[in-house]
Amino acid sequence: MFKIPDPELQIDFSGVLAEIRGQYLQDALAATIKNLDITEIDKALADYVPKPSLATLASHGLRGELMFPVPLLLTKNPRLLGYYRLLYGYSQKEFYTTETGVSRFQSMEKRGVLTAANAADLPDLCRALSDAAALLLDGIGAKRVSQALLDDLTLLTLGPQLRGGANVKKGAAGIVKVFDAIHDIVKPAVKEATANRIEIENAAGRRVLIEFAPDPDIIIREEMSADNFRELIAVEVKGGSDFSNIHNRIGEAEKSHQKAKAAGYVECWTVVNVDRIDMDMAKKESPTTNRFYRISDLINGGGPEYQDFRARVISLTGIRS
């Protein structure tokens, strides 16, 4: 009666979370403090943090660096910038921008690298972050602040980040599956193939390229003469399996295909990873899409949807069937 999906995402998250705790969260902060002179940290905190804020934290037995960054800590462990970003509730997308001025510091969180130029501006960054921390502490309130609550706040920000990363991986995996399905269809005509590009020769003796692209995801072009191509097929792949988000994905596909049509592509196809999609709804939301397909049908390699896909790839590329 019930069909509960496997908790694969949460299993993956549990493994990733253990790693992230050692790199960015309170565990990483504690490990970094152990390798520093605590009196030097206290001096820095006194210089960068408002006294009332330090007093509030101290009244709960909490040290200032749990909420307030200082250059000494970030120099010792640049990845801790990620801890403070998560604590304050900023996504990477909104934090590392030219508007905030923090975009050039992203290498600290991602790679643990602090350049000489960034080190020179680190004091100013810490003061700006301390202003945000003071506002957060006031908003939480002196009675509610605790180490456990601060840890919870970082996890609340981290959750969507992990899910977003998982969706990106799903999307990339979906693109590869569609690319592989096309490769299987055109295999008899393949002259050369790499992980992201297939070159075939069609019945007219012309070169046809099947390639990964940034937008749309897969493009198929026929070379008419040297460096002169006829744009045949643009394929947009939506690998996410969350049914509730299918409308957004179809909308994204439509934007991509509008660009592809403007670039001269003959056919625009959208491939989705949601089996129970309403095709009539999808056609209304992406009128530029000529054909919709399901990843599951292309993987199975059978059924009318796959046969249609196969026939159109063969026909449009001009290879012998």
Side-chain angles (χ1 to χ4, degrees):
M1 181 184 293
F2 301 108
K3 190 177 181 180
I4 308 300
D6 295 338
E8 294 178 359
L9 198 60
Q10 210 69 343
I11 292 170
D12 291 341
F13 284 177
S14 67
V16 174
L17 181 57
E19 180 182 348
I20 290 176
R21 281 195 179 280
Q23 287 187 333
Y24 302 111
L25 304 187
Q26 288 184 11
D27 291 359
L29 179 63
T32 303
I33 292 169
K34 284 182 180 179
N35 295 314
L36 291 171
D37 185 340
I38 201 72
T39 59
E40 292 299 318
I41 298 176
D42 288 337
K43 288 178 184 177
L45 288 170
D47 188 26
Y48 284 86
V49 184
K51 287 184 179 179
S53 297
L54 287 176
T56 297
L57 291 172
S59 68
H60 292 273
L62 303 176
R63 289 193 51 81
E65 63 271 14
L66 267 175
M67 289 196 72
F68 294 88
V70 292
L72 180 65
L73 277 170
L74 295 183
T75 301
K76 183 67 175 178
N77 185 358
R79 290 187 187 275
L80 286 177
L81 180 58
Y83 165 73
Y84 294 105
R85 174 186 65 78
L86 292 167
L87 176 62
Y88 305 154
Y90 303 128
S91 69
Q92 289 180 323
K93 191 173 183 179
E94 66 181 326
F95 186 65
Y96 294 113
T97 67
T98 53
E99 186 176 340
T100 63
V102 189
S103 59
R104 61 191 175 95
F105 290 90
Q106 192 169 16
S107 61
M108 292 176 64
E109 176 178 343
K110 281 197 167 183
R111 304 196 307 275
V113 173
L114 177 62
T115 65
N118 286 345
D121 291 333
L122 198 55
D124 290 339
L125 176 61
C126 285
R127 292 191 188 283
L129 293 173
S130 290
D131 290 341
L135 287 172
L136 176 61
L137 182 57
D138 288 343
I140 293 172
K143 292 183 179 179
R144 292 195 299 131
V145 68
S146 68
Q147 186 167 344
L149 176 61
L150 298 181
D151 189 49
D152 288 343
L153 291 177
T154 60
L155 294 178
L156 284 172
T157 312
L158 182 62
Q161 180 176 314
L162 291 179
R163 184 170 289 275
N167 287 339
V168 169
K169 287 182 180 179
K170 276 187 178 180
I175 295 168
V176 171
K177 288 174 181 176
V178 175
F179 188 79
D180 288 345
I182 295 172
H183 192 181
D184 287 341
I185 293 168
V186 302
K187 191 173 291 183
V190 170
K191 306 299 285 185
E192 184 181 335
T194 65
N196 55 15
R197 184 175 180 271
I198 303 168
E199 179 183 331
I200 63 177
E201 183 177 283
N202 64 16
R206 294 197 184 100
R207 194 164 68 118
V208 177
L209 300 180
I210 303 164
E211 304 165 292
F212 285 142
D215 190 20
D217 298 311
I218 300 171
I219 55 174
I220 303 179
R221 303 178 298 153
E222 180 182 19
E223 188 176 46
M224 307 304 291
S225 59
D227 296 323
N228 179 27
F229 289 89
R230 176 177 176 238
E231 285 72 25
L232 299 175
I233 310 171
V235 184
E236 185 70 10
V237 182
K238 294 302 172 187
S241 56
D242 182 6
F243 177 77
S244 63
N245 201 32
I246 189 62
H247 296 282
N248 290 336
R249 295 195 193 99
I250 298 298
E252 292 166 359
E254 174 62 14
K255 292 177 183 177
S256 176
H257 284 326
Q258 286 176 0
K259 296 177 186 176
K261 281 290 187 185
Y265 281 89
V266 177
E267 290 270 322
C268 293
W269 300 349
T270 299
V271 184
V272 299
N273 198 26
V274 176
D275 286 345
R276 56 194 182 100
I277 182 175
D278 182 336
M279 288 299 185
D280 290 333
M281 172 276 295
K283 288 172 184 176
K284 289 178 182 177
E285 296 190 349
S286 180
T288 311
T289 297
N290 298 105
R291 307 293 298 180
F292 285 92
Y293 299 101
R294 298 173 178 86
I295 288 179
S296 59
D297 287 325
L298 303 189
I299 292 173
N300 292 335
E305 199 165 302
Y306 172 77
Q307 293 302 329
D308 181 83
F309 181 83
R310 182 178 183 278
R312 289 176 184 276
V313 168
I314 292 172
S315 174
L316 288 164
T317 57
I319 64 175
R320 294 180 178 86
S321 58

